[in-house]
Amino acid sequence: MAKSIDVELLNVQKKFGSNVVVDNFNLQVEKGECVSFLGPSGCGKTTTLNMIAGFLEPDQGDLLIKGKRMNGVPSNKRDLGMVFQTYSLFPHMTVAENVGYGLKLRKVAKAEIAERVGKVLELVKLPHVADRYPKQLSGGQRQRIAIARALVTEPSLLLLDEPLSNLDAKLREELRDELKRLQQEIGVTTIFVTHDQEEALYLSSRIVVLDHGKVEQIGTPWEIYNRPASEFVHTFIGKSNRMQGVVEQVQGDTLVLKTASGFTLQAPSRERRFSIGEPVSIYVRPEKIHLQTADARAESNNEMQGRVKLTSFLGAYTECEVEVGHDVLTFRIETAEQEASLAAGQTVNLNWKSEDVFVFSGQVKEQ
Ligand SMILES: Nc1ncnc2c1ncn2[C@@H]1O[C@H](COP(=O)(O)OP(=O)(O)O)[C@@H](O)[C@H]1O
Ligand SMILES: [Mg+2]
């Protein structure tokens, strides 16, 4: 059976004046999926979400919800629930009144409203705050209530615009877990806007990475992390060490690179075309770099010698910075194995597998 598509964007474009802020956006969201829009501030996430919500109209392209063209259809006819970054609860209404408001507008009977509000407050684990006013709740509780209010009408689509960004770190993580649980329990098709890559990786079935109004990549969290379509995607998601270099040789799918610090490396070309002498940016993620041991050496074909600059104990692991010529490489060692074994100034040998190297055309862009 064909998968059912809940949301579809076809060549959607939005301009403000002459400024194109969303360009040629194409996406299909399947029923039950949680898709994130991820990108830096100003890349067009909210604008796109607002077009799906019906708060803004696209200048070009089509927007479909459950196969029906939605261009020009008002927001309240789109069967959505929305949650925003700032707490948008009505201050003069109790929690129960806030949550039940959408049902009241739909002229649902009082007894049914009470029952459904009760159920959804159970779902967000806050049944005991029904009679309180928003100002009597913590930030995290208010966002849970906002989520309850979005869910109470059982919308076919849940739209969340940075709902966790105003919370402190611990609460943000808690509510993130909660959102994932809720999304899986209810199975509601969800679009989640965030600038936080970890949130996107954690919550999404697929991620749309945006930069300057353009879709850079659409993929599962695994694909986005391990098969980045561009330098932007690779550097925006997760940490990565970068070095400058040039291509010395192209041998089939393998590149031989010379770094600016004079080291020779091998890397896969990943179906990109490179020419000899071409300047490139070379990336290796911290978790792929190993301290040289007899075992690791056998597997790796990229090695560098450097000098320890800094070590930082972070509980589960120790982060080390090593100076290698002009470059500084960061990597991690598991604390338990290597306690206090590295000190600043010490010379170390590092290695990694060529398959863990990513190469992109052009010199490193300074941010
Ligand atoms: N109403 C508006 N009028 C003019 N420019 C806008 C308006 N809303 C957003 N923009 C611009 O559009 C771009 C994308 O904004 P937005 O979608 O809010 O980004 P994000 O949510 O990814 O941070 C930004 O450059 C922003 O300044
Ligand atoms: Mg935004």
Side-chain angles (χ1 to χ4, degrees):
M1 210 178 80
K3 295 230 168 85
S4 90
I5 303 298
D6 267 4
V7 182
E8 189 161 14
L9 280 76
L10 289 165
N11 298 317
V12 168
Q13 191 200 64
K14 183 72 192 171
K15 287 196 225 169
F16 288 115
S18 60
N19 193 9
V20 180
V21 299
V22 176
D23 197 15
N24 200 28
F25 200 128
N26 286 286
L27 174 71
Q28 289 190 330
V29 181
E30 285 170 16
K31 191 175 173 53
E33 259 198 297
C34 178
V35 170
S36 292
F37 294 171
L38 173 67
S41 177
C43 71
K45 304 180 295 291
T46 295
T47 303
T48 309
L49 200 73
N50 283 344
M51 287 191 279
I52 298 170
F55 301 145
L56 284 173
E57 278 301 313
D59 294 317
Q60 281 179 39
D62 289 324
L63 184 103
L64 287 79
I65 297 179
K66 291 192 178 297
K68 288 202 191 98
R69 191 167 179 273
M70 284 290 136
N71 301 51
V73 173
S75 189
N76 59 6
K77 298 270 162 25
R78 294 191 184 192
D79 190 19
L80 323 154
M82 274 204 86
V83 180
F84 305 94
Q85 181 174 351
T86 45
Y87 319 119
S88 44
L89 302 176
F90 300 119
H92 59 286
M93 290 185 191
T94 65
V95 164
E97 286 164 350
N98 262 289
V99 174
Y101 186 70
L103 297 175
K104 197 172 160 192
L105 284 184
R106 287 170 173 76
K107 310 224 178 328
V108 175
K110 264 192 177 166
E112 191 187 333
I113 294 181
E115 192 197 322
R116 285 169 69 175
V117 168
K119 267 195 190 151
V120 80
L121 287 179
E122 291 278 350
L123 203 63
V124 297
K125 299 193 170 150
L126 284 175
H128 54 286
V129 304
D131 296 327
R132 288 197 209 162
Y133 287 89
K135 66 171 188 293
Q136 297 170 299
L137 303 175
S138 69
Q141 288 175 326
R142 277 183 231 168
Q143 268 323 51
R144 280 178 197 217
I145 297 306
I147 293 165
R149 189 178 59 176
L151 290 175
V152 78
T153 57
E154 294 173 9
S156 43
L157 185 59
L158 181 62
L159 304 178
L160 305 162
D161 193 352
E162 311 233 15
L164 310 179
S165 297
N166 274 2
L167 306 173
D168 63 45
K170 194 162 182 310
L171 258 181
R172 200 159 62 217
E173 220 168 90
E174 253 175 57
L175 205 56
R176 184 188 74 176
D177 298 358
E178 192 77 351
L179 257 180
K180 182 158 179 159
R181 177 187 67 81
L182 272 176
Q183 206 274 331
Q184 297 197 335
E185 215 168 287
I186 311 170
V188 60
T189 309
T190 303
I191 300 178
F192 180 83
V193 162
T194 181
H195 65 272
D196 183 311
Q197 40 108 4
E198 213 174 278
E199 257 171 46
L201 291 171
Y202 184 89
L203 281 166
S204 323
S205 50
R206 284 185 304 148
I207 300 173
V208 181
V209 184
L210 293 165
D211 185 30
H212 289 102
K214 287 213 161 60
V215 175
E216 287 272 319
Q217 188 170 4
I218 301 177
T220 62
W222 191 93
E223 286 165 344
I224 297 285
Y225 194 80
N226 294 294
R227 302 281 181 268
S230 66
E231 184 174 0
F232 175 81
V233 174
H234 180 72
T235 53
F236 194 74
I237 286 96
K239 283 189 175 178
S240 201
N241 291 292
R242 53 185 192 184
M243 292 169 272
Q244 297 184 2
V246 292
V247 177
E248 276 206 331
Q249 290 174 52
V250 182
Q251 299 168 342
D253 298 334
T254 302
L255 304 172
V256 180
L257 310 163
K258 182 87 147 198
T259 72
S261 300
F263 288 91
T264 300
L265 298 177
Q266 284 183 24
S269 62
R270 298 175 200 278
E271 287 159 28
R272 294 191 178 90
R273 285 180 165 276
F274 293 92
S275 48
I276 290 168
E278 183 176 347
V280 285
S281 303
I282 305 163
Y283 292 89
V284 196
R285 291 200 187 275
E287 72 270 20
K288 303 296 189 188
I289 298 180
H290 308 287
L291 263 183
Q292 189 111 302
T293 60
D295 293 349
R297 180 164 207 160
E299 283 184 37
S300 85
N301 42 13
N302 283 320
E303 295 177 11
M304 284 187 178
Q305 190 173 71
R307 195 193 256 283
V308 177
K309 196 177 157 206
L310 199 67
T311 63
S312 312
F313 175 71
L314 288 164
Y317 57 87
T318 296
E319 196 167 86
C320 308
E321 285 183 18
V322 171
E323 266 174 328
V324 179
H326 311 297
D327 300 304
V328 176
L329 301 181
T330 299
F331 71 105
R332 294 166 184 175
I333 45 178
E334 282 192 30
T335 305
E337 290 170 20
Q338 299 278 349
E339 193 178 351
S341 67
L342 287 185
Q346 192 179 333
T347 299
V348 288
N349 290 314
L350 303 177
N351 63 41
W352 56 85
K353 295 180 195 170
S354 59
E355 69 200 55
D356 292 326
V357 181
F358 288 86
V359 185
F360 300 98
S361 291
Q363 289 294 357
V364 172
K365 286 177 226 141
E366 289 305 330
Q367 282 159 359

